[in-house]
Amino acid sequence: MSAGRRRFASSVRARASLGATAVVAVALVAAGIAVVLSLRANLTGQADRSADAAAREVALNIASLVPDQTSYAGLDLPDDMEHPVQVTDEGGRLLMASEDLQRISGTGVPAVTPVKSPAPGATAAPGDDDSADDDNGADDKGGDDHGGDDKGGDDSGGGDDDPAVGEISDRTSYTTGGATVDGKAGDYRFAAVEVTDRAGETVVVHAGASVADRQTAVNTTTVSMLLGLPVLLLVVGGVTWLVTRRAFRPVEGIRREMAAITASTDLSRRVPEPASDDEVARLARTTNETLTALEAAVERQRRFVADASHELRSPIASLRTQLEVGDAHPELLDVPGAVADTVRLQQLAADLLLLARLDAGERPGRARFELGALVREEVSQRTSDRIPVTLDVRPGLEVAGSRGQLARVLGNLLDNAQRHAHASVTASVYRSGGQVVLAVADDGSGVPEAERERIFERFVRLDDARSRDDGGAGLGLAIARDVAARHDGTLTVGRAPEGGALFELRLPRADGANTDSADADARA
């Protein structure tokens, strides 16, 4: 398969057009079959009614025949070619047929030439003709007082004793066959009606109605549908192609712009947004939001790399300088300073490694431990703090997560408090509703309200007081907030009662408890 064919087969427009065309084709074929069958049934019903009317007209004439009529030859039969007629007796003997009827099928009696028959109801014995001319013939048939009544007979005869005499059956049976009348052959629907003549003999009238009009109408309709179906399918396919092309035009614009953004790596570009509020417009808006988030992430990454390079450059340069001086003048080597720069470089590398793991989506463990015990343990190990840390810890408050990461958060908060406190640093653990709160407060200058969110950004230091000599690289608070977020908690900063900064780490309780007794458990 060529590349062009593969692209067409994988095109949404092509699939939509082919799908719509297939659905319409199936619907049209089903509708066409239903229309043809309905038309055929309707026209067949019309032919049946016409044949039934012709048969009953002949049956009415037969019912009115007098008993002494010599034959059925005097019947009035339809003289058109649309209604060929047969009259047969119960034994299947043809008594009467339409003029110029040359062939017939479907009635059960293929004969077209009537046999000679006696008068309706008469016997075929010799001498019937003489009895018909005998002056006493009526008396021979009828009896005494009623001898002049040709239709009555004796006291026990007549229509009163035989209700079927002259009766036409209400039941009509239909068959399909063919006939040739005056050299012209055709298909017919035949109606068969039984009738009892005045002499008491039951005969069957077969009358046909031509179905040529039915065949013509059905054939014309079928041919019209077969010729019109491809044209209609082409129209449906073309319209669907054009409509989907117009509908997907914004998608193609989005694709081209995304390809250009990928080629240029310019994340400031945005895809065009349609003015409509449909799925394509929402896709464009979502794409632009994704590009905005991606641009912000890339920008943060660039700043992070630049700041990290800058932060790493200072301790490395200082350490190199001290080593070079020591190499040239061993008596001037500042070993404590070199050790301090090495420690600072080690801490910065550890911070960068932890941030890289957090950015990669590393999830903390779900071990349960008592937060108060963790705080007491970490504070007890801080022997070089400038200001002793005062503890106010409620026992029995458990959280779930990474003990090491939360210990790192506590260390960063205490380091920050130690740098800015004047004489007091306090660490508290208490319960607030369904959360456990770790609070670290100092009596320093505090954090201006306008800067309380900015200090959690990476490599941010608010003023000269937070210099590299007195403080860190500006990563501690950023790491603390990221760790809090990954523990389903929050880290905020406010004003401490002593006037300095108050950092509150809120974590969900490990047992998921929720209580309204927060006031009773609040710190004193």
Side-chain angles (χ1 to χ4, degrees):
M1 183 182 291
S2 64
R5 282 174 146 183
R6 284 196 299 270
R7 284 195 299 270
F8 178 82
S10 62
S11 170
V12 176
R13 279 190 296 163
R15 293 198 299 269
S17 300
L18 292 176
T21 304
V23 170
V24 172
V26 172
L28 288 178
V29 170
I33 293 175
V35 168
V36 169
L37 293 179
S38 177
L39 177 63
R40 182 184 179 89
N42 184 271
L43 294 177
T44 300
Q46 293 182 7
D48 289 345
R49 289 190 291 273
S50 177
D52 181 67
R56 290 187 179 278
E57 181 181 355
V58 174
L60 184 62
N61 292 335
I62 292 175
S64 63
L65 285 176
V66 295
D68 61 352
Q69 189 168 334
T70 59
S71 70
Y72 288 98
L75 287 176
D76 292 331
L77 299 180
D79 56 1
D80 55 6
M81 297 174 58
E82 295 292 329
H83 297 291
V85 175
Q86 279 184 322
V87 180
T88 63
D89 60 12
E90 291 182 309
R93 186 178 57 167
L94 181 64
L95 304 178
M96 184 62 191
S98 296
E99 186 179 0
D100 298 329
L101 180 62
Q102 300 169 346
R103 182 189 65 84
I104 192 168
S105 62
T107 62
V109 181
V112 295
T113 302
V115 297
K116 291 183 179 181
S117 61
T123 63
D128 283 346
D129 293 339
D130 294 336
S131 64
D133 294 332
D134 190 348
D135 291 339
N136 298 324
D139 293 336
D140 295 337
K141 295 178 182 179
D144 48 4
D145 294 338
H146 300 285
D149 188 356
D150 295 334
K151 299 179 182 179
D154 57 14
D155 292 341
S156 62
D160 293 337
D161 295 332
D162 190 357
V165 171
E167 181 181 353
I168 300 175
S169 174
D170 293 333
R171 182 178 176 273
T172 304
S173 59
Y174 299 95
T175 57
T176 300
T180 301
V181 182
D182 196 16
K184 294 183 178 181
D187 295 329
Y188 289 84
R189 285 285 290 178
F190 291 99
V193 178
E194 292 184 353
V195 57
T196 303
D197 61 19
R198 296 303 241 172
E201 182 179 359
T202 300
V203 296
V204 181
V205 179
H206 300 276
S210 176
V211 293
D213 293 340
R214 183 193 71 177
Q215 296 296 344
T216 300
V218 170
N219 292 338
T220 301
T221 302
T222 303
V223 170
S224 300
M225 289 183 175
L226 292 177
L227 294 177
L229 180 62
V231 176
L232 186 57
L233 293 180
L234 287 176
V235 172
V236 171
V239 171
T240 305
W241 177 268
L242 294 176
V243 170
T244 52
R245 179 182 180 182
R246 181 179 181 86
F248 283 107
R249 187 176 299 164
V251 177
E252 179 62 21
I254 294 173
R255 188 202 64 79
R256 286 197 300 267
E257 187 63 25
M258 289 297 293
I261 293 173
T262 302
S264 64
T265 67
D266 182 8
L267 296 178
S268 63
R269 299 175 62 172
R270 296 293 180 267
V271 300
E273 294 186 14
S276 59
D277 192 23
D278 54 11
E279 292 83 354
V280 177
R282 291 194 289 272
L283 172 63
R285 286 194 292 270
T286 302
T287 302
N288 284 334
E289 292 171 359
T290 302
L291 288 173
T292 301
L294 182 60
E295 182 185 15
V298 171
E299 183 61 28
R300 286 195 304 269
Q301 187 70 18
R302 288 173 180 171
R303 288 200 310 268
F304 177 80
V305 172
D307 292 339
S309 301
H310 182 72
E311 295 295 334
L312 288 171
R313 187 184 300 116
S314 298
I316 291 175
S318 176
L319 182 59
R320 178 181 178 181
T321 300
Q322 295 182 55
L323 292 176
E324 287 177 348
V325 170
D327 182 56
H329 305 282
E331 70 278 4
L332 299 179
L333 178 60
D334 184 9
V335 176
V339 172
D341 286 339
T342 304
V343 171
R344 182 181 170 201
L345 185 61
Q346 182 182 13
Q347 291 176 345
L348 181 57
D351 287 344
L352 293 176
L353 180 60
L354 178 56
L355 281 175
R357 295 206 312 266
L358 294 176
D359 289 341
E362 179 182 290
R363 301 296 299 177
R366 304 307 297 174
R368 293 178 54 170
F369 55 91
E370 185 180 344
L371 186 58
L374 172 65
V375 173
R376 285 191 294 267
E377 180 181 346
E378 291 297 319
V379 170
S380 66
Q381 297 176 5
R382 297 176 65 90
T383 58
S384 60
D385 282 345
R386 180 174 59 91
I387 300 173
V389 179
T390 303
L391 295 181
D392 183 9
V393 176
R394 300 285 191 234
L397 300 179
E398 290 188 346
V399 295
S402 171
R403 184 182 183 92
Q405 290 185 9
L406 292 179
R408 184 67 173 275
V409 171
L410 174 61
N412 290 348
L413 295 180
L414 291 176
D415 288 344
N416 181 77
Q418 289 289 337
R419 283 194 295 268
H420 303 290
H422 296 313
S424 173
V425 175
T426 303
S428 306
V429 176
Y430 58 94
R431 183 173 60 187
S432 176
Q435 294 179 322
V436 178
V437 181
L438 167 61
V440 176
D442 61 70
D443 61 348
S445 59
V447 180
E449 187 173 354
E451 303 291 342
R452 288 178 180 174
E453 284 299 316
R454 184 168 173 263
I455 63 173
F456 292 105
E457 297 179 7
R458 299 175 183 183
F459 300 106
V460 170
R461 286 178 295 272
L462 297 184
D463 49 36
D464 293 338
R466 295 174 180 253
S467 64
R468 294 185 183 88
D469 295 334
D470 296 332
L475 294 177
L477 295 180
I479 292 175
R481 172 163 280 190
D482 283 351
V483 171
R486 281 162 175 76
H487 283 76
D488 300 323
T490 59
L491 178 61
T492 58
V493 60
R495 185 175 180 83
E498 297 83 0
L502 172 63
F503 288 87
E504 290 184 325
L505 172 64
R506 294 179 176 268
L507 300 173
R509 291 182 58 183
D511 56 2
N514 191 1
T515 177
D516 296 329
S517 59
D519 294 339
D521 293 325
R523 55 181 180 166

